[in-house]
Amino acid sequence: MTNFTSISEFVLLEFSDTRELQILHFLIFLVIYVIALTGNVIIIVVIVLNHHLHTPMYFFLMILSVQDLGTVSVTVPKAMANSLQNTRLVSYSGCVAQVFFFLLFEAADFVILTIMAHDRYVAICNPLQYEAIMHRGACFQMAAGAWIACNLYATLHTTSTFSITFCSNKIDQFFCEIPQVLTLSCSDLYLIEVGLLIFSCIIVGGCFVFIVITYVQIFAALLHMPSVQGRKKALSTCIPHLTVVSLFVFTAVFAYVRPPANSSSAINMIFAVMYAILPPLLNPFIYSMRNKDLKTALFKLTDFRHFPKTFSAKF
C-alpha cells in the first residue's frame, strides 16, 4: 500500500454520485440543520430571558443545547457543502478539527447528562439540601470541570489518532470519524488509539451505570411520595432527561456495536446520521413536550404583549 504520511486532504464517502440526489441530500440536511439550530436556539433564549428558569436543571439544559448546536454544526454544514459543490474532499486540518470538536461535544453531552441525573437525584431524593448542594457556584464548577476534562479527552484522542501513518486517504464515512480514520492506518500505532477507545467505553459504561442506579433510587423515592401532583411534576422533569439519555446511548450502541461482516458503507452512514444528528435534532422537542414550565415560558416569549416586560426585566 502507498504511504500517505504527507497527505493534505482526505476523501469522504459521498451520499450519491447522481447530481439530482446530491441536491436532494443538500436540501434534506439543510432542513434538518435549520430545525436543529432553531430548536436549540429557542431553548437557550427562553432559559436566558425567563428568570423563573434560572435554576440548576435549566442551566444544564441550556449548556446541553449549546453543545448540541456544536455537535450538529461539526458534521452537517460540511456534508451540505460537499453535496452542493459535488466534491468529497476535506482538508487534513479540517479533518483534525472535525474529529476534535465532535469528540469534545459528544463527550461533553454525556458528562452534562450525567450531571443532570445527579441534579434530579438531589432534587427528588434530598430536597431539603438541594439549594446547599446544587448552588450556583457548584453548578459552574461542575460545568467548567466537564468542559476542561472533555477538552483534554478530545485533545488526547485527536493527537493519538493523527500521529499514525496513513496508507490511504479515503474515509468510509461522510465526516471524519475516528473508527473509520483508524482503518487507514498501516502502522501498529493505531493500537494505542484502540486502547484509548476501549478505555473510553469503560468510562462511558461507568457513567451509564451511575445514571441507571440514580434513576432506580429516584423512582423508588417517587413510589413513596404521598402527593400525586408532586409525583407528576417530578416525572415531568425526569422522563425527558431519561429519554434523551436513552436516545444518546442507544444510537451510539447501534452505530458501534455491530458485527463488522454485516457493515456496509450505506449502513455505516445511516447509523452515523442516527447518533451524530438525531440527538441534537430531537432533544429540544423531547424536553419541551412534557415540560410545562418550559412551554409556559415559550408561550410568554412568543406573546408580544409580554415581550417588552420580559425584556426589560432581564436587561
Side-chain angles (χ1 to χ4, degrees):
M1 297 174 67
T2 306
N3 193 327
F4 281 81
T5 52
S6 59
I7 60 175
S8 60
E9 56 190 13
F10 289 95
V11 180
L12 298 174
L13 183 66
E14 61 183 354
F15 286 92
S16 174
D17 55 1
T18 305
R19 189 58 185 153
E20 290 77 10
L21 290 179
Q22 289 176 345
I23 298 298
L24 177 62
H25 288 135
F26 166 78
L27 294 174
I28 291 174
F29 267 44
L30 177 62
V31 171
I32 290 173
Y33 187 61
V34 169
I35 292 174
L37 207 67
T38 304
N40 284 291
V41 168
I42 287 175
I43 294 287
I44 295 168
V45 171
V46 167
I47 293 173
V48 168
L49 293 183
N50 194 305
H51 70 278
H52 294 294
L53 301 181
H54 293 179
T55 62
M57 181 180 74
Y58 293 107
F59 169 73
F60 291 119
L61 176 57
M62 181 179 66
I63 293 177
L64 186 67
S65 292
V66 171
Q67 293 169 176
D68 283 342
L69 284 176
T71 301
V72 77
S73 296
V74 168
T75 56
V76 175
K78 181 60 180 176
M80 289 166 52
N82 281 1
S83 294
L84 189 63
Q85 297 170 4
N86 191 23
T87 182
R88 301 166 56 190
L89 300 178
V90 59
S91 65
Y92 185 92
S93 59
C95 190
V96 172
Q98 269 199 338
V99 168
F100 174 80
F101 285 107
F102 186 75
L103 282 173
L104 171 63
F105 290 122
E106 285 286 292
D109 263 8
F110 198 65
V111 173
I112 292 298
L113 287 170
T114 305
I115 294 173
M116 291 173 76
H118 173 67
D119 171 71
R120 290 299 83 207
Y121 167 77
V122 177
I124 295 171
C125 299
N126 201 2
L128 296 179
Q129 297 186 21
Y130 181 74
E131 292 186 4
I133 297 173
M134 300 299 295
H135 55 86
R136 183 186 296 268
C139 292
F140 279 110
Q141 287 172 9
M142 285 188 281
W147 268 88
I148 292 171
C150 291
N151 265 285
L152 293 174
Y153 169 83
T155 301
L156 178 64
H157 273 290
T158 306
T159 304
S160 173
T161 299
F162 289 94
S163 65
I164 64 178
T165 302
F166 296 111
C167 291
S168 173
N169 67 337
K170 295 182 180 179
I171 299 176
D172 195 28
Q173 190 54 271
F174 74 95
F175 69 99
C176 291
E177 183 186 37
I178 282 186
Q180 299 302 330
V181 173
L182 291 181
T183 61
L184 309 181
S185 171
C186 55
S187 69
D188 291 335
L189 288 176
Y190 81 96
L191 293 174
I192 299 174
E193 178 59 22
V194 170
L196 288 173
L197 286 174
I198 293 173
F199 179 68
S200 300
C201 290
I202 294 172
I203 295 176
V204 170
C207 290
F208 181 69
V209 170
F210 172 82
I211 293 173
V212 171
I213 293 174
T214 297
Y215 269 101
V216 168
Q217 294 175 310
I218 288 174
F219 288 128
L222 289 176
L223 291 175
H224 295 90
M225 190 175 289
S227 170
V228 177
Q229 192 66 26
R231 193 181 303 133
K232 287 182 179 179
K233 186 175 181 180
L235 281 173
S236 70
T237 63
C238 290
I239 290 178
H241 175 258
L242 198 56
T243 305
V244 169
V245 170
S246 301
L247 178 66
F248 186 93
V249 171
F250 287 120
T251 52
V253 168
F254 276 120
Y256 290 111
V257 187
R258 290 176 290 115
N262 298 332
S263 299
S264 65
S265 296
I267 292 176
N268 285 336
M269 188 178 291
I270 291 171
F271 280 110
V273 169
M274 284 179 60
Y275 85 88
I277 299 175
L278 273 187
L281 175 67
L282 297 180
N283 286 355
F285 299 100
I286 293 172
Y287 266 104
S288 59
M289 277 192 302
R290 288 187 58 89
N291 194 306
K292 185 178 179 181
D293 293 336
L294 203 58
K295 287 191 289 188
T296 301
L298 178 60
F299 290 146
K300 285 184 178 180
L301 185 64
T302 54
D303 188 344
F304 291 103
R305 293 173 300 176
H306 293 87
F307 182 76
K309 189 183 298 184
T310 304
F311 189 83
S312 60
K314 178 65 183 174
F315 298 98

